[in-house]
Amino acid sequence: MPWINKALKKFLIPGLLLLLTGFQWIDDDFTQHIAAKLLDYRRVFSQGKAYLHLDKPYYTTGDTLWFKSYLVEGSLHLADSASNLLYVDLIEQRTGRNVALRRVQLSGGIGHGEIVLADSIPKGAYTIRAYTNWMRNFSENYFFQKDIYLFDPENIAEPAAPTTVDLKFFPEGGQLIAGVNTRVALKAVGGNGLGQDVNGFILNQNKDTVAFYKSDHLGMGRFQFEPKPGEVYDAFINGKDGKISRFDFPKVMESGYTMIVDNLSNPLKMRLIIYFKMPGKQESGIHIVGHSRGIVAFVAKGKVTAKGLMLNLPTTEFPDGITHLTLFDEQSKPVSERLVFINHNRSLNVKIVPTKMAYKPREKTEIEIAVTDSAGNPVEANVSVAVTDAGQILQQPNDENIMSYLLLSSDLKGFIEQPAYYFDPAKSERKIHMDYLMMTQGWSRFKWEDVLADSLLQPQRYVEQGITLEGEVKRNNKKLSEKVMLSMYLSNDSLNTFMTSETDANGRFGIYNLVFADSLKIRLQGMNKKGNANLSFRLDPFAAPRATLLKAPFYPITVDAKQLLEYLKRAQQDQQIARKIRESRERLLQEVTIKGKKEVQRDPRKLYGSADASIKVTTQMASGGRSILDILAGRVAGVQVVGSGMNASVYIRGNRGEPLFVLDGMPVDKDMISNLNTFDVESIDVLKGPSAAIFGSRGGNGVISILTKRGNENYDYSQDVVPGVLVSKIAGFNVPKEFYAPAYEVSKPQNVNPDYRSTVFWAPMLRTNKQGKARFAYFNTDAVTNIDIRAEALSTSGIPGFGKTAYSIE
């Protein structure tokens, strides 16, 4: 990777100056070993990142959730063109129930779709997820997950007040070492899952106060602390009600390593200070490895003494995002880790320019989007845009966007509150608050023991470029002991194809990378093998990954009471209008009387008009008789069947002679009828007396007409169910709907209806040209309000960007 090579070359120069402090840049076996291990791990367990841009942060029952999907490679954020299938599902937080699933077809890592939030879906907190089959090899922490709230227009839920606080402490570098002055970060989370401001104190075992602490941002903070040998400490919170609560404080270690990082004082470099304490040892050889998203940026070694070791590390060539710093001891075991965030402001600049800043209701609005890089050069990028009514929808403070997700949230475990705050240049203290986040929510996408293992386990799940069809074949409900050839007939409105496959020795089979929309009929059976009728087939249903249930589902949004009431009111009005339109159409249809007679095409196999009796042969009937005559027995009045199977005789209305047998319009003898496979028969007609006269004297004893499935040119074989055959439907890619935006410059009957859409416009598939620009237009609603426009972008080189603006309707 270019930035890695540049970084390593530049690091060698200042490394010569660091020899005086006992630290040096290296190119030894350890460097090659670590780089090779990380490379192998990335090759086997290559990480992918999915991201969804939603049209708004909350919804009502009956609403539609619109989304744009981005899928990128995890290290450089280039578009992932290997996986063409993205799963998007909606999880009810209280029960963990999957209430909706969409299969999104991707092209170059880009796709879009929608979820209709039916009235039957319970209101409350939900999590929308996005993941690929490959991502299911890993924890659900790798999935894109976003919390939303679904309101009921008739019932407004109030957020529950947080009743408990969870407080945790995080020594820098991972542990407290006796006698080593270090920094301890803290994080307090309320019962609603959000950060909560706290203050308190630390007591030693003699109940003496040795330190005070206070949160500084969203329940996070940091304070200096020097633990004493042999001491045990407790932490206490000063409650707002005057109540003091006790919490655990980290245990003090008598020996070990710690690492302190200063990433704030100098924008061009960071300072690392390593401390070491080990009984009987005055110094220790160490290595430090720095990597960003699994790509090695540097490896250095040195010797640390009781006085510590300091390293100044240039960061100008580091990529934007999280860099992991790991300290290895003399046995090459990781003993300390620290995460730092590098921000060189290399993200895309997304500028949204309306033609004017004030419009009238229903006036046409034209928007231009300009995307440039950090140097001001135009950039070709994929862009998605959401336009919402600010009078109804309150945009969440510092809500997730594609930039904050790819560079921050996707590489940290758990919920990140207000992630976009850390990328807002107007926030003067965002860098130190980001450092708090790195210390309290640090998490690596892998464990070093897994990376350094002698061998890597191969992933069980594969990359999908289409729909997968897998299943199992058994014979007499027992596992197979040999391979079986299979034939498959696949069909829908636009596809008709025949395929063959083969099971493995255990009866498992699979068809991969099918590309079709909506659903597909499949007819599956064994091929040219004796005993096919004894085969049974089972298709593996799609099993969505299990969701982690929240103990107390929180209210994941911030809303203004007035805006929420307006939104719910408008949403209810829109649904009532839609309901009235449907009812009006129903009444209109009832007022029209249509008379006519359906023309039924005559079956050419029938010389007669209508039969005196007719039997439609079902699968149950076919399986209950050994011959056609067995099926007739007891089912038609005046027809007597004597005996069974091949020896059966049949008489109509007491005639001493047997009737004429006709097969698909051709007279045949009884032996041919008796040997017919009952599952091949479609229907049986019985003609008595005058009805059989068309067959002349041959029909004097009546006629039994057998009509087979093969003889019917219109027969749908996909619906034919016989032993050894499976007929089923499988789900394909969901076909995305087009967002409806009325055009008020054209007079239409529906344009007289009130228009108060909360999502005014949704454009998920824009793309800027070589000049970095894209344009679109839409019509405003009837509301006199303010309009929010938010755009998210991703360049072909994997650089994300976000932009927003607003205008008014007067």
Side-chain angles (χ1 to χ4, degrees):
M1 303 301 172
W3 65 265
I4 302 175
N5 295 330
K6 292 180 181 178
L8 290 175
K9 289 177 182 178
K10 290 195 174 185
F11 290 163
L12 291 174
I13 299 174
L16 298 176
L17 303 177
L18 294 170
L19 291 175
L20 297 176
T21 65
F23 218 101
Q24 59 180 330
W25 304 101
I26 58 169
D27 187 17
D28 62 3
D29 292 340
F30 182 84
T31 307
Q32 298 176 13
H33 174 69
I34 286 293
K37 285 292 186 181
L38 280 170
L39 181 62
D40 286 345
Y41 193 86
R42 284 184 57 235
R43 178 181 54 81
V44 177
F45 297 107
S46 59
Q47 301 294 316
K49 295 181 180 181
Y51 174 76
L52 298 182
H53 177 196
L54 309 185
D55 65 313
K56 55 194 175 191
Y58 49 88
Y59 300 85
T60 68
T61 51
D63 207 344
T64 298
L65 182 157
W66 302 91
F67 64 83
K68 163 75 172 285
S69 55
Y70 297 84
L71 181 66
V72 300
E73 183 272 337
S75 296
L76 299 177
H77 298 159
L78 300 175
D80 185 346
S81 56
S83 294
N84 292 339
L85 171 57
L86 182 73
Y87 298 96
V88 176
D89 59 18
L90 191 63
I91 308 297
E92 185 183 12
Q93 290 186 4
R94 291 187 182 277
T95 63
R97 186 169 65 98
N98 193 321
V99 300
L101 173 68
R102 297 292 180 268
R103 293 171 174 86
V104 181
Q105 185 173 13
L106 302 178
S107 177
I110 302 298
H112 66 113
E114 77 291 325
I115 297 175
V116 177
L117 304 170
D119 295 340
S120 58
I121 298 178
K123 65 179 178 63
Y126 285 81
T127 297
I128 186 170
R129 305 187 302 180
Y131 51 90
T132 63
N133 188 56
W134 174 259
M135 292 167 67
R136 296 180 66 182
N137 286 303
F138 318 106
S139 164
E140 66 177 288
N141 293 312
Y142 293 84
F143 298 174
F144 171 84
Q145 301 185 67
K146 183 177 177 62
D147 297 315
I148 63 172
Y149 204 87
L150 180 61
F151 290 100
D152 184 341
E154 299 180 357
N155 297 287
I156 302 176
E158 294 293 335
T163 56
T164 60
V165 177
D166 181 34
L167 176 63
K168 286 185 170 58
F169 296 90
F170 304 86
E172 187 163 15
Q175 57 186 351
L176 292 176
I177 307 298
V180 176
N181 193 309
T182 188
R183 297 183 297 188
V184 178
L186 63 104
K187 183 168 187 177
V189 178
N192 58 359
L194 304 178
Q196 185 165 325
D197 289 335
V198 294
N199 67 83
F201 51 92
I202 310 297
L203 297 184
N204 62 15
Q205 55 196 13
N206 295 327
K207 307 302 180 185
D208 295 328
T209 301
V210 295
F212 293 94
Y213 65 86
K214 181 180 179 181
S215 62
D216 186 32
H217 174 69
L218 300 178
M220 296 181 290
R222 185 165 63 193
F223 61 97
Q224 290 290 135
F225 189 74
E226 182 175 341
K228 303 300 181 184
E231 278 284 5
V232 177
Y233 300 95
D234 293 307
F236 295 87
I237 282 182
N238 295 316
K240 294 181 180 179
D241 56 359
K243 183 180 178 181
I244 296 177
S245 303
R246 179 197 167 278
F247 290 86
D248 292 334
F249 196 73
K251 183 181 178 181
V252 180
M253 310 300 294
E254 295 300 321
S255 62
Y257 300 82
T258 190
M259 179 168 51
I260 299 174
V261 179
D262 175 12
N263 188 39
L264 304 175
S265 301
N266 191 322
L268 302 179
K269 65 178 64 175
M270 72 174 75
R271 179 178 298 173
L272 280 65
I273 304 175
I274 298 96
Y275 290 104
F276 154 79
K277 184 179 181 182
M278 195 72 65
K281 295 190 68 173
Q282 298 299 316
E283 63 179 21
S284 173
I286 60 168
H287 288 87
I288 293 184
V289 175
H291 72 88
S292 179
R293 300 188 287 271
I295 300 177
V296 176
F298 75 94
V299 180
K301 76 174 182 179
K303 289 186 177 181
V304 57
T305 67
K307 294 183 179 180
L309 177 65
M310 184 176 71
L311 167 67
N312 287 317
L313 180 65
T315 60
T316 52
E317 295 298 329
F318 277 33
D320 286 20
I322 296 175
T323 293
H324 293 249
L325 304 174
T326 305
L327 177 66
F328 290 82
D329 63 11
E330 290 179 323
Q331 286 74 43
S332 298
K333 294 181 179 179
V335 292
S336 182
E337 187 166 69
R338 173 73 150 87
L339 271 60
V340 295
F341 193 86
I342 306 298
N343 190 355
H344 298 302
N345 298 313
R346 294 179 179 138
S347 58
L348 300 178
N349 298 311
V350 181
K351 189 176 181 181
I352 307 170
V353 185
T355 52
K356 54 185 179 179
M357 298 310 296
Y359 292 84
K360 295 179 180 179
R362 297 201 177 192
E363 185 179 356
K364 187 175 183 179
T365 302
E366 296 179 341
I367 305 291
E368 180 182 85
I369 292 182
V371 180
T372 58
D373 60 19
S374 56
N377 301 312
V379 174
E380 293 185 67
N382 273 292
V383 181
S384 50
V385 178
V387 182
T388 56
D389 180 350
Q392 299 184 56
I393 301 298
L394 177 64
Q395 294 295 339
Q396 300 304 284
N398 303 302
D399 200 9
E400 189 86 82
N401 58 55
I402 192 170
M403 184 166 62
S404 65
Y405 183 77
L406 293 184
L407 299 180
L408 178 64
S409 303
S410 59
D411 291 316
L412 290 179
K413 186 177 181 179
F415 174 71
I416 310 295
E417 187 176 354
Q418 300 188 27
Y421 164 86
Y422 304 102
F423 298 86
D424 188 348
K427 309 298 183 183
S428 59
E429 295 186 320
R430 71 186 188 283
K431 291 185 178 180
I432 189 171
H433 294 160
M434 174 72 88
D435 214 39
Y436 295 164
L437 186 66
M438 294 296 100
M439 291 181 65
T440 58
Q441 208 154 337
W443 171 68
S444 176
R445 280 179 166 255
F446 58 80
K447 298 178 180 178
W448 276 109
E449 51 266 34
D450 295 336
V451 175
L452 300 175
D454 292 334
S455 61
L456 299 175
L457 296 175
Q458 292 298 315
Q460 297 300 308
R461 296 184 179 271
Y462 43 84
V463 172
E464 288 182 321
Q465 293 185 323
I467 305 298
T468 298
L469 173 62
E470 290 182 313
E472 184 179 21
V473 181
K474 291 184 178 181
R475 176 171 282 116
N476 295 322
N477 291 324
K478 296 180 180 179
K479 285 189 174 294
L480 297 179
S481 57
E482 77 286 340
K483 296 181 179 180
V484 171
M485 289 295 297
L486 303 174
S487 68
M488 301 182 186
Y489 179 69
L490 307 174
S491 64
N492 63 11
D493 292 339
S494 59
L495 174 68
N496 286 280
T497 186
F498 180 82
M499 303 178 67
T500 61
S501 183
E502 186 180 49
T503 71
D504 62 18
N506 297 317
R508 295 289 305 173
F509 67 91
I511 301 293
Y512 306 98
N513 301 328
L514 296 171
V515 179
F516 62 93
D518 196 16
S519 63
L520 190 69
K521 293 180 182 178
I522 176 172
R523 179 185 171 92
L524 176 66
Q525 66 183 63
M527 284 182 59
N528 303 322
K529 294 286 184 179
K530 187 177 181 180
N532 281 347
N534 296 323
L535 296 178
S536 59
F537 304 89
R538 179 181 62 82
L539 297 180
D540 294 341
F542 176 80
R546 294 185 61 183
T548 301
L549 285 176
L550 297 179
K551 294 182 180 179
F554 60 86
Y555 204 75
I557 59 170
T558 300
V559 292
D560 176 81
K562 183 177 178 181
Q563 284 176 302
L564 179 58
L565 287 172
E566 182 70 13
Y567 170 52
L568 297 179
K569 174 185 174 184
R570 297 304 186 191
Q572 193 171 32
Q573 287 177 346
D574 287 343
Q575 292 180 30
Q576 288 174 349
I577 290 172
R579 200 175 297 118
K580 288 179 179 179
I581 291 174
R582 289 195 298 269
E583 292 173 355
S584 175
R585 288 173 178 170
E586 290 172 2
R587 285 195 297 269
L588 182 62
L589 288 174
Q590 291 171 358
E591 293 172 2
V592 178
T593 301
I594 301 175
K595 294 182 178 181
K597 186 175 181 180
K598 181 180 179 181
E599 182 179 350
V600 179
Q601 187 176 3
R602 187 172 180 274
D603 192 330
R605 297 174 295 173
K606 296 183 179 181
L607 300 177
Y608 48 91
S610 59
D612 293 297
S614 184
I615 299 174
K616 179 70 174 177
V617 179
T618 64
T619 304
Q620 290 79 7
M621 291 181 187
S623 60
R626 290 183 294 171
S627 73
I628 299 302
L629 301 183
D630 289 341
I631 295 176
L632 268 175
R635 285 193 168 90
V636 178
V639 176
Q640 181 183 11
V641 178
V642 180
S644 63
M646 302 296 180
N647 299 318
S649 298
V650 60
Y651 304 97
I652 298 177
R653 285 186 175 175
N655 291 319
R656 295 183 178 182
E658 289 191 311
L660 173 68
F661 294 96
V662 178
L663 179 64
D664 287 333
M666 298 293 293
V668 296
D669 58 30
K670 189 179 74 172
D671 289 341
M672 179 173 288
I673 296 298
S674 299
N675 285 293
L676 270 179
N677 187 335
T678 56
F679 289 96
D680 287 337
V681 176
E682 183 180 46
S683 63
I684 306 172
D685 287 347
V686 178
L687 283 69
K688 311 171 186 177
S691 299
I694 193 171
F695 290 95
S697 61
R698 293 178 302 172
N701 294 325
V703 176
I704 293 179
S705 174
I706 312 299
L707 302 175
T708 65
K709 297 173 182 176
R710 297 178 184 275
N712 186 350
E713 61 183 13
N714 298 317
Y715 184 76
D716 184 0
Y717 286 95
S718 68
Q719 301 298 320
D720 186 10
V721 180
V722 297
V725 176
L726 173 70
V727 178
S728 184
K729 275 189 176 183
I730 55 175
F733 290 109
N734 291 96
V735 180
K737 297 179 181 178
E738 184 177 353
F739 180 83
Y740 172 69
Y744 290 127
E745 61 187 0
V746 179
S747 178
K748 295 181 179 179
Q750 62 266 33
N751 287 352
V752 300
N753 296 320
D755 182 5
Y756 292 98
R757 287 164 286 143
S758 57
T759 299
V760 179
F761 190 68
W762 168 248
M765 301 296 284
L766 295 177
R767 187 175 182 87
T768 58
N769 56 24
K770 293 182 178 180
Q771 289 73 44
K773 295 182 179 181
R775 293 177 176 84
F776 60 95
Y778 56 90
F779 289 84
N780 291 305
T781 66
D782 291 328
V784 176
T785 184
N786 291 321
I787 296 294
D788 279 321
I789 306 179
R790 299 191 170 221
E792 306 196 10
L794 183 69
S795 72
T796 54
S797 58
I799 302 176
F802 170 78
K804 62 181 180 179
T805 192
Y807 66 85
S808 62
I809 300 179
E810 301 173 351

